[in-house]
Amino acid sequence: MTWLDLPADTGFGPDNLPYGVFSTPGTSPRTGVAIGDRVLDLAAATHDPVHATGSLNAFMARGPAAWAAVRSRLQELIGDAAHRGDVEPHLLPQDAVTMHLPVEVADYVDFYSSRHHAENLGRILRPDGEPLPPNWTHLPIGYHGRAGTVRVSGTPVVRPSGQRKAPRDDVPTFGPTQRLDIEAEVGFVVGMPSTLGEPVPLRAFPDHVFGACLVNDWSARDLQSWEYVPLGPFLGKSFLTSVSPWVVPLAALEAARVNPPPRDHPLVPYLDDETHPWGLDITLEVRLNGERISRPPFGSMYWTPAQQLAHLTANGAALRTGDLFASGTVSGPERHQRGSLIELSWNGRKPLPLADGSTRTFLEDGDVVTISASAPGPVGTRIGFGEVIGQVLRAR
Amino acid sequence: MTWLDLPADTGFGPDNLPYGVFSTPGTSPRTGVAIGDRVLDLAAATHDPVHATGSLNAFMARGPAAWAAVRSRLQELIGDAAHRGDVEPHLLPQDAVTMHLPVEVADYVDFYSSRHHAENLGRILRPDGEPLPPNWTHLPIGYHGRAGTVRVSGTPVVRPSGQRKAPRDDVPTFGPTQRLDIEAEVGFVVGMPSTLGEPVPLRAFPDHVFGACLVNDWSARDLQSWEYVPLGPFLGKSFLTSVSPWVVPLAALEAARVNPPPRDHPLVPYLDDETHPWGLDITLEVRLNGERISRPPFGSMYWTPAQQLAHLTANGAALRTGDLFASGTVSGPERHQRGSLIELSWNGRKPLPLADGSTRTFLEDGDVVTISASAPGPVGTRIGFGEVIGQVLRAR
């Protein structure tokens, strides 16, 4: 319910109200809320300096009661036409603002929680072995990525260089990656910190997590495959990770909660989520130069974000405001549900046919990749995530 | 040369001047410089607010010319007795101050650059294979660690819990680690950031790196061995990483520069350091409950910190002020030069005999581990690194 005139089927209706950081020419970055095709200048509308800090961190650090109070007040402001005169001066067209990285990222962790993705990668890279490593069904595998190279949607993707060595080569060579890929993921942003030494149980997930965004974890597969044994991905990932500018509040995803897929065997207690299922029915869409190439279903993820958070802290590791953890590539069981080109082109062996008659294995210079997503909201509404977009530029 | 009365053989003489962050009861953390057994309150002595921010980051961000100017001024102040009256009121006994984490850590990267360590681990964990993975002699293998759990020396080491599965077990169990270990390392702190997309060449190492400290990368070997395939170490490391409170300026290590060991084969150009060797003759010392158990030689590292930095940025990854990158466990060729208990006890199979008649495989509750180090300074002086210390507390 709102007095605003919203575009038909907007994903940014009154049940969503995602937060971002924006600026207009000559002004400082500040917090905004997306409503339809507009952004509400929260700093100006509320006079609360927490919204003028240039990132969501200070607001997130206030905790879940403050998040709920602001959300409730926002729904009142846009719901009751009596507030129209106060609110309207602070609404700007989204296409007139510049979006910034919404969060000062503290630590960035990337998981590997889609069974279909992990099995596909296993079949591609280790065709003679079991598709899943033995630990995969027992814990959500993850690793730390580079927080300092997380950037907002729109940041150009300069093709990275690095060492790569094909099995037939005697020695590695250095040069631009020839296997630049995407990973379509959903990321979760920590608002409330935790104490060193104290694990965060599954039930405390909404006490710590502020919201969700989209993540494209750009990957240079040739760099990655040469470097990753035994300590994991490093330069194959650290050149850039792109996130969507809007952070969807966890409260907006209540109607999207679903049970995760059945598990192969009983889980150790800290991961047993029977009473706290946090599967989320979010459908992603991946477009390459405007053409849809995949629709990965987040609801098919084996491990939920609540399990990821419980695992991440099971050893007592502390959370900080601004921590970002991403799901890993979201891939469903069908070919058109795969969230990476290494899967869509089966490591280049089955090039992906495109509408213009060309094909694609990995990304070419000039390619534009757009990831968007939506989830069911209350009573037939739709919760949109906006987009995370990036264009590949040739290597320097 | 100084008018101060310094303890004999101090590692904190006028050629060192390491920076740290300290407080006294009822005062805010601020920057200090260690001189002998005292600390100079730099904020009070200089009236520069950059030294009152509670971390070295703002000062480091001023860049190498500013670092050199402050160092030169400090040497003048403590070198010329004419300044005694101005300086003396700002000297405090080190044992009367509390030391804090010196740096707000941005990204933390841990390398694996000791050939002896990597070969020992290979022989222990993969006895039937080659001790080194094929990429090891071509690039400095590294991975991102958890910046948010880097803490200052003295922070208690609460024994972490997690999943572990021995080969003979059918399923994993959750509980306190039974294989808690140390890793004696040297860390390097980035002062000056770099631009996304622009690699930092070997020659630019001193333009970006502010100084060095000691690192104890506490490791839960049983958690690590169950989790680390295929994405690398995660919870086995992320519960705590301890650093020494004093950051030794790179300028204090000029006399310690040595050539790294000969390499097995020619390196790709961005790692070829023939004209920029940054081996450093730093000798570490590891004590367990006061007894020296190892003296790892940093000069034996195959990959230098300059090569690590060049590698870390070769794909265009940006540096930020406060980035910390550590060497990986420092181990020399001899048994008494190994920097971890997994090596010293050969994975528990050859328990380490201690002076009191007991033996040790991995750490027991109550154990205190102290890592210290020193390097040659100009004309017979000694550059000390102070200590990084931690006591193991029983699991919660």
Side-chain angles (χ1 to χ4, degrees):
Chain A
M1 273 249 307
T2 177
W3 48 264
L4 274 103
D5 188 23
L6 300 181
D9 193 37
T10 181
F12 292 154
D15 297 308
N16 190 347
L17 304 179
Y19 296 91
V21 172
F22 77 99
S23 66
T24 50
T27 68
S28 296
R30 54 202 184 275
T31 301
V33 173
I35 305 169
D37 52 8
R38 288 187 279 182
V39 50
L40 174 66
D41 182 337
L42 206 57
T46 63
H47 303 291
D48 185 339
V50 79
H51 301 304
T53 53
S55 87
L56 302 181
N57 291 49
F59 173 53
M60 295 195 301
R62 287 190 178 170
W67 312 338
V70 170
R71 181 170 173 82
S72 167
R73 175 69 182 151
L74 281 169
Q75 288 178 328
E76 193 180 301
L77 286 174
I78 64 169
D80 183 345
H83 299 295
R84 184 169 188 152
D86 295 332
V87 172
E88 225 160 22
H90 306 302
L91 287 168
L92 297 98
Q94 276 172 31
D95 57 15
V97 307
T98 300
M99 298 305 297
H100 301 269
L101 187 66
V103 170
E104 273 181 62
V105 181
D107 270 300
Y108 166 49
V109 168
D110 198 21
F111 284 94
Y112 187 56
S113 289
S114 160
R115 181 176 196 142
H116 307 291
H117 171 70
E119 286 180 342
N120 284 337
L121 270 278
R123 291 189 186 107
I124 289 169
L125 302 176
R126 297 173 292 274
D128 300 326
E130 287 292 318
L132 290 180
N135 53 6
W136 199 94
T137 55
H138 293 280
L139 53 80
I141 293 174
Y143 69 100
H144 286 92
R146 190 163 185 82
T149 49
V150 175
R151 299 293 156 107
V152 74
S153 174
T155 303
V157 188
V158 177
R159 183 181 293 274
S161 292
Q163 285 192 34
R164 58 271 161 95
K165 187 177 107 45
R168 65 182 180 281
D169 297 336
D170 289 335
V171 292
T173 52
F174 180 86
T177 175
Q178 292 162 0
R179 302 165 80 81
L180 183 61
D181 200 354
I182 60 165
E183 296 202 330
E185 311 192 10
V186 178
F188 293 82
V189 178
V190 171
M192 284 298 281
S194 69
T195 303
L196 188 67
E198 296 182 9
V200 175
L202 284 163
R203 66 178 147 71
F205 177 68
D207 302 334
H208 291 275
V209 170
F210 177 77
C213 62
L214 300 176
V215 176
N216 190 342
D217 187 39
W218 306 95
S219 300
R221 301 293 181 195
D222 40 3
L223 278 55
Q224 187 183 345
S225 68
W226 171 232
E227 76 181 354
Y228 89 107
V229 174
L231 300 186
F234 186 39
L235 299 190
K237 303 277 194 172
S238 65
F239 57 96
L240 184 68
T241 303
S242 299
V243 297
S244 58
W246 297 110
V247 180
V248 173
L250 206 61
L253 297 172
E254 266 303 323
R257 285 183 68 175
V258 292
N259 283 316
R263 274 60 182 259
D264 284 17
H265 41 69
L267 297 174
V268 296
Y270 79 94
L271 291 173
D272 182 354
D273 64 344
E274 184 140 340
T275 56
H276 297 88
W278 270 98
L280 290 167
D281 178 20
I282 303 168
T283 304
L284 282 70
E285 179 170 294
V286 182
R287 279 173 289 152
L288 175 63
N289 302 325
E291 177 180 347
R292 185 171 81 202
I293 59 171
S294 180
R295 294 198 73 205
F298 189 73
S300 70
M301 302 295 279
Y302 194 86
W303 298 106
T304 73
Q307 290 174 310
Q308 291 166 348
L309 194 73
H311 184 62
L312 171 51
T313 60
N315 65 348
L319 300 175
R320 290 183 294 172
T321 298
D323 281 348
L324 170 68
F325 60 101
S327 59
T329 308
V330 183
S331 291
E334 307 297 330
R335 177 169 174 169
H336 67 274
Q337 294 179 321
R338 296 172 183 164
S340 68
L341 287 169
I342 192 173
E343 291 168 272
L344 285 162
S345 75
W346 212 251
N347 205 20
R349 291 199 291 275
K350 296 178 180 174
L352 185 69
L354 297 176
D356 67 0
S358 69
T359 61
R360 203 58 101 248
T361 53
F362 293 93
L363 293 173
E364 298 184 0
D365 291 348
D367 278 350
V368 175
V369 177
T370 308
I371 303 170
S372 56
S374 75
V379 287
T381 61
R382 191 172 70 80
I383 303 294
F385 281 72
E387 296 179 339
V388 55
I389 190 166
Q391 179 167 33
V392 179
L393 304 187
R394 70 171 194 282
R396 287 194 188 154
Chain B
M1 274 247 308
T2 177
W3 48 263
L4 276 104
D5 189 23
L6 300 181
D9 192 36
T10 181
F12 291 156
D15 297 307
N16 190 346
L17 304 179
Y19 294 91
V21 172
F22 76 99
S23 65
T24 50
T27 67
S28 297
R30 54 202 184 274
T31 300
V33 173
I35 304 170
D37 52 8
R38 289 188 276 182
V39 50
L40 174 66
D41 182 337
L42 207 57
T46 64
H47 304 291
D48 186 338
V50 80
H51 300 306
T53 53
S55 87
L56 302 181
N57 291 48
F59 172 53
M60 294 195 300
R62 288 189 177 170
W67 311 339
V70 170
R71 182 171 173 81
S72 165
R73 176 67 181 154
L74 281 168
Q75 288 178 326
E76 193 180 301
L77 287 173
I78 63 170
D80 184 344
H83 299 293
R84 184 169 187 154
D86 295 331
V87 172
E88 225 160 23
H90 306 302
L91 288 168
L92 297 98
Q94 276 172 31
D95 57 15
V97 306
T98 300
M99 299 304 299
H100 301 270
L101 187 65
V103 170
E104 272 180 64
V105 181
D107 271 300
Y108 166 48
V109 169
D110 197 21
F111 284 93
Y112 188 56
S113 290
S114 160
R115 181 175 196 143
H116 306 292
H117 171 70
E119 286 180 343
N120 284 337
L121 270 278
R123 289 189 187 107
I124 289 169
L125 302 176
R126 296 174 294 273
D128 300 326
E130 287 292 318
L132 291 180
N135 53 7
W136 200 94
T137 55
H138 292 281
L139 54 80
I141 293 174
Y143 69 100
H144 286 91
R146 190 162 186 82
T149 48
V150 176
R151 299 292 156 109
V152 73
S153 174
T155 302
V157 188
V158 177
R159 183 181 294 274
S161 292
Q163 284 192 34
R164 59 271 160 96
K165 187 178 106 45
R168 66 182 179 280
D169 297 337
D170 288 335
V171 292
T173 52
F174 181 85
T177 175
Q178 292 160 359
R179 303 165 78 81
L180 183 60
D181 200 355
I182 60 164
E183 297 202 329
E185 310 193 9
V186 178
F188 293 83
V189 178
V190 171
M192 285 297 282
S194 70
T195 304
L196 188 67
E198 297 182 8
V200 174
L202 284 164
R203 66 179 146 69
F205 177 68
D207 302 335
H208 292 273
V209 170
F210 177 77
C213 62
L214 300 177
V215 176
N216 190 344
D217 188 39
W218 306 95
S219 300
R221 300 295 181 193
D222 40 4
L223 278 56
Q224 187 183 346
S225 69
W226 172 232
E227 77 181 354
Y228 91 107
V229 174
L231 300 187
F234 187 38
L235 300 189
K237 303 278 194 171
S238 64
F239 57 95
L240 184 68
T241 304
S242 300
V243 297
S244 58
W246 296 110
V247 180
V248 173
L250 207 62
L253 296 172
E254 267 303 323
R257 285 183 68 176
V258 292
N259 283 316
R263 273 61 180 259
D264 283 17
H265 40 69
L267 297 174
V268 296
Y270 79 93
L271 290 173
D272 182 355
D273 64 344
E274 183 141 339
T275 55
H276 297 87
W278 270 99
L280 289 167
D281 177 20
I282 302 169
T283 303
L284 283 69
E285 180 170 293
V286 182
R287 279 173 290 152
L288 176 62
N289 301 325
E291 177 181 349
R292 186 171 79 201
I293 58 171
S294 179
R295 294 197 72 205
F298 189 73
S300 70
M301 301 296 278
Y302 194 85
W303 299 105
T304 72
Q307 290 174 310
Q308 290 166 348
L309 193 73
H311 184 62
L312 171 52
T313 60
N315 65 348
L319 301 175
R320 291 183 293 172
T321 298
D323 282 348
L324 171 68
F325 60 100
S327 58
T329 308
V330 183
S331 291
E334 308 297 330
R335 178 170 173 170
H336 68 275
Q337 294 178 321
R338 295 172 184 163
S340 68
L341 287 169
I342 192 173
E343 292 167 272
L344 285 162
S345 76
W346 211 251
N347 205 22
R349 292 199 290 276
K350 297 179 181 175
L352 186 69
L354 297 176
D356 67 1
S358 71
T359 61
R360 204 55 103 251
T361 52
F362 293 93
L363 293 173
E364 298 183 1
D365 291 348
D367 278 350
V368 176
V369 177
T370 309
I371 303 171
S372 56
S374 75
V379 287
T381 61
R382 190 173 71 81
I383 302 294
F385 281 71
E387 296 179 341
V388 56
I389 190 166
Q391 180 168 32
V392 179
L393 303 188
R394 71 171 193 280
R396 286 198 187 151

